[in-house]
């Protein structure tokens, strides 16, 4: 592991260099639509075939890249344990440097961390999807461990432990819209995971390898959880992964066990392991944690937010509303001029940079009693504006901005030790749950199992119907 940054460094992402030209080239806006068809519904046979072909191309593209998987399946456990020790040692070094006065390694301020949470949402919202297709093989004892890993990703039907539901609550709590104008390249890694999950019969060794690589403990997971907590943001989604992926009895250990157990006994073992290693390399597809963190540009994010608001706000201001002699409606009619608009706000004294946000008249339009623009900006957008206004001014760990979503979202997860154990009552108008209960009542044998597995798909497992189906599936095990 590379060494942690020197305490004099304000910000550094050391683990690997981003390669934006290779990672974002030629997406053509195609990845998000296919991702949505795989992640948000029951894809057609054509969509699954399209995803499989796309995945085959990715395997070819990454065939020449290095991986850390050992040459012998029997060496996986030792490799995993050695890697975990190295990561934990690097984390202790990080903590020591923080105690000695080093700045945060990843997040400059609260808005930077929120930006990260939003940008990685397409991957987090399909957490575990690569294992979904193995549920049909639950009767095979060699697949049982991987199926168990999948249902644990689903929280075994407990809404307080379902990984995707936890991340959805996290986004809602901080006013983060994961369905907005995210760049197409941010869907690549999530698309890999969905494509694997919907094509398990074709890519079983690659699924085993992807799971083997993806379930290992990364340093960035530990640091992310630490710095989110330091900034006053809920780190539970990330700390949960630290515990469930542990190298003793967790997903990392089970991944090694499955890789060895599924190796063929009747020859072709070398081909199998080559495909396992190819699957592990798929974890390098797309932008990862460190790439997203390094891409944050506060000035650009402010301009992006204001450009979006300009579309909705143009024409909503009277002829008395002027900045630098120009009508507000005219400024908003040209979203590309947001940099000039921000300069005008500063030049006329509406915004005082590098001072408390409350000193700026513009901020008083957004926050406070009877603020005329209250509700126009989400909690996340307000945080970005505050951090941009205050700029170089020394701040505490993270000054939260109150937005309208906080009154509704609150704490989305149960307190430790108080997870849900009984089925929740039927939510109002949850038609999927009503339909599921009607169908499962009379379903038997294969039909019942198919219905349970369908409800445990990436699109449904986090819903009331999916959670109930997962509990039934676990009980049947």
């Amino acid at each position: 592991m590379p060494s942690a940054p020197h305490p004099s460094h304000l910000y550094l992402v050391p683990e690997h260099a981003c390669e934006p030209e290779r990672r974002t080239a030629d997406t053509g806006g195609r990845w998000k639509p296919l991702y949505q068809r795989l992640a948000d519904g029951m894809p057609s046979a054509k969509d699954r075939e399209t995803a499989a072909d796309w995945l085959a191309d990715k395997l070819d593209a990454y065939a020449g890249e290095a991986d850390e998987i050992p040459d012998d399946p029997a060496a996986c456990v030792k490799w995993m344990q050695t890697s975990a020790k190295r990561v934990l040692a690097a984390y202790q070094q990080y903590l020591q440097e923080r105690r000695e006065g080093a700045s945060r390694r990843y997040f400059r301020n609260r808005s930077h961390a929120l930006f990260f949470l939003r940008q990685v949402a397409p991957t987090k919202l399909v957490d575990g999807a690569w294992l979904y297709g193995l549920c049909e093989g639950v009767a095979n004892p060699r697949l049982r461990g991987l199926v168990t890993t999948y249902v644990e990703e689903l929280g075994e039907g407990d809404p307080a432990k379902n990984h995707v539901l936890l991340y959805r609550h996290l986004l809602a709590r901080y006013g983060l819209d994961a369905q907005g104008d995210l760049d197409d390249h941010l869907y690549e890694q999530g698309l890999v995971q969905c494509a694997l999950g919907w094509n398990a019969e074709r890519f079983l060794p690659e699924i085993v390898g992807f799971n083997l690589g993806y379930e290992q403990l990364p340093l960035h997971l530990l640091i992310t959880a630490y710095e989110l907590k330091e900034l006053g943001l809920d780190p539970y989604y990330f700390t949960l992964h630290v515990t469930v992926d542990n190298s003793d009895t967790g997903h990392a250990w089970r991944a090694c066990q499955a890789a060895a157990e599924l190796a063929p006994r009747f020859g072709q073992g070398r081909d199998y392991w080559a495909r396992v290693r190819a699957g592990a390399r798929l974890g390098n597809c797309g932008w990862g944690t460190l790439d997203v963190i390094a891409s944050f540009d506060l000035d650009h994010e402010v301009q992006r937010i204001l450009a979006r608001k300009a579309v909705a706000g143009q024409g909503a201001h009277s002829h008395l509303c002027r900045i630098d002699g120009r009508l507000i409606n005219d400024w908003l009619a040209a979203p590309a001029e947001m940099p000039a608009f921000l300069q005008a706000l500063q030049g006329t004294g509406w915004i005082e940079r590098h001072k408390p946000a409350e000193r700026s008249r513009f901020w008083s339009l957004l926050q406070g009693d009877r603020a005329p623009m209250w509700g126009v900006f989400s909690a996340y957008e307000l945080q970005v504006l505050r951090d941009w206004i205050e700029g170089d001014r020394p701040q505490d760990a993270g000054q939260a901005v109150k937005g309208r979503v906080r009154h509704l979202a609150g704490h989305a997860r149960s307190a430790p030790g108080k997870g849900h154990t009984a089925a929740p009552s039927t939510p109002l108008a949850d038609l999927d749950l009503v339909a599921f209960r009607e169908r499962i009542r009379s379903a038997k044998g294969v039909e019942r199992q198919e219905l349970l597995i369908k409800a445990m798909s990436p699109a449904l497992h986090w819903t009331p119907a999916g959670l109930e189906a997962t509990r039934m599936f676990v009980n049947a095990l």
Side-chain angles (χ1 to χ4, degrees):
M1 280 289 167
S3 61
H6 188 275
S8 64
H9 291 184
L10 174 65
Y11 171 71
L12 184 64
V13 177
E15 291 183 62
H16 73 270
C18 176
E19 301 175 59
E21 292 81 5
R22 187 198 68 179
R23 293 177 183 273
T24 63
D26 300 326
T27 71
R30 300 186 301 271
W31 294 349
K32 181 177 179 179
L34 181 56
Y35 167 96
Q36 290 176 324
R37 294 197 296 275
L38 299 179
D40 300 335
M42 303 301 293
S44 65
K46 182 178 180 180
D47 285 334
R48 293 171 68 171
E49 183 179 359
T50 298
D53 292 342
W54 178 87
L55 196 60
D57 290 341
K58 285 296 171 185
L59 287 165
D60 289 341
Y62 282 80
E65 296 207 358
D67 65 71
E68 297 182 356
I69 306 300
D71 295 332
D72 184 356
C76 277
V77 172
K78 183 177 180 180
W79 162 76
M80 176 265 298
Q81 292 171 340
T82 300
S83 298
K85 289 179 181 178
R86 186 170 65 246
V87 167
L88 292 173
Y91 181 57
Q92 290 303 311
Q93 181 183 0
Y94 163 83
L95 293 176
Q96 180 60 35
E97 294 188 351
R98 293 303 309 277
R99 286 192 290 269
E100 293 173 355
S103 301
R104 285 185 296 274
R105 185 180 297 187
Y106 288 174
F107 304 123
R108 303 174 191 175
N109 48 38
R110 190 179 171 94
S111 60
H112 190 177
L114 293 173
F115 168 88
F116 159 75
L117 294 177
R118 180 174 182 263
Q119 297 280 299
V120 299
T123 301
K124 304 304 183 187
L125 293 179
V126 294
D127 201 357
W130 64 90
L131 293 171
Y132 168 61
L134 304 185
C135 291
E136 293 182 2
V138 65
N140 183 344
R142 297 168 75 181
L143 290 174
R144 192 74 170 252
L146 294 179
V147 175
T148 299
T149 294
Y150 182 67
V151 297
E152 287 178 359
E153 296 280 343
L154 275 52
E156 298 183 333
D158 182 350
K161 295 293 187 292
N162 180 286
H163 293 187
V164 170
L165 188 56
L166 282 171
Y167 207 81
R168 285 179 171 272
H169 285 322
L170 187 66
L171 294 173
R173 181 176 178 182
Y174 299 116
L176 303 172
D177 176 16
Q179 306 302 319
D181 56 346
L182 294 178
D183 292 335
D184 197 60
H185 67 265
L186 295 170
Y187 292 85
E188 183 177 5
Q189 179 54 224
L191 180 53
V192 166
Q193 297 179 21
C194 290
L196 287 169
W198 284 109
N199 292 283
E201 185 173 347
R202 179 172 170 181
F203 295 107
L204 177 57
E206 288 80 8
I207 291 171
V208 172
F210 183 89
N211 187 69
L212 179 61
Y214 209 77
E215 293 288 11
Q216 304 309 311
L217 177 65
L219 177 60
H220 65 71
L221 184 65
L222 295 161
I223 296 177
T224 295
Y226 183 89
E227 295 192 2
L228 288 176
K229 183 177 181 179
E230 188 176 36
L231 288 163
L233 300 171
D234 186 356
Y236 181 67
Y237 172 87
F238 298 90
T239 57
L240 177 63
H241 281 74
V242 174
T243 57
V244 300
D245 294 344
N246 73 82
S247 60
D248 183 21
T249 58
H251 293 181
W253 173 81
R254 196 179 295 145
C256 295
Q257 184 183 47
E261 287 183 350
L262 285 164
R265 305 313 196 254
F266 290 98
Q268 298 183 330
R270 186 171 300 177
D271 291 342
Y272 162 78
W273 199 244
R275 291 180 64 183
V276 167
R277 296 182 70 166
R281 288 193 290 272
L282 289 175
N284 296 325
C285 288
W287 277 37
T289 292
L290 303 179
D291 303 308
V292 169
I293 291 170
S295 72
F296 180 68
D297 183 322
L298 186 55
D299 288 337
H300 180 270
E301 189 67 358
V302 168
Q303 294 165 19
R304 182 194 68 82
I305 289 170
L306 292 182
R308 286 194 64 190
K309 298 301 176 185
V311 176
Q314 197 269 329
H317 300 77
S318 76
H319 67 283
L320 299 177
C321 299
R322 296 173 180 267
I323 293 292
D324 202 19
R326 185 177 177 184
L327 290 172
I328 295 293
N329 286 330
D330 291 342
W331 282 111
L332 300 183
E337 294 188 21
M338 286 304 104
F341 181 50
L342 287 168
Q343 284 296 123
L345 288 170
Q346 295 173 70
T348 55
W350 278 88
I351 290 179
E352 296 185 49
R353 293 292 308 281
H354 311 300
K355 296 180 181 179
E358 289 74 15
R359 290 274 299 271
S360 293
R361 286 185 289 166
F362 178 73
W363 186 255
S364 69
L365 301 176
L366 314 179
Q367 291 275 276
D369 295 338
R370 302 179 67 83
M373 292 177 63
W374 190 90
V376 171
F377 294 89
S378 71
Y380 166 66
E381 293 166 339
L382 288 170
Q383 189 68 61
V384 170
L385 289 169
R386 172 186 278 282
D387 288 340
W388 179 79
I389 290 171
E390 298 192 345
D392 296 335
R393 175 178 174 270
Q395 300 177 348
D396 56 19
Q399 187 171 1
V401 176
K402 292 183 179 180
R404 62 185 186 275
V405 299
R406 293 183 65 84
H407 301 294
L408 296 175
H411 288 274
R413 63 180 176 88
S414 302
K418 296 182 180 179
H420 300 277
T421 55
S425 60
T426 304
L428 180 65
D430 194 298
L431 301 181
D432 279 333
L433 182 56
V434 172
F436 171 77
R437 286 177 171 173
E438 289 178 352
R439 292 185 58 186
I440 201 68
R441 193 175 297 120
S442 59
K444 298 184 184 302
V446 174
E447 180 188 1
R448 179 183 177 87
Q449 180 169 322
E450 289 178 349
L451 182 58
L452 292 178
I453 292 173
K454 181 178 181 179
M456 292 165 60
S457 70
L460 288 170
H461 70 72
W462 56 274
T463 69
L467 293 167
E468 186 158 306
T470 304
R471 290 191 292 270
M472 292 180 178
F473 187 84
V474 171
N475 289 336
L477 291 178

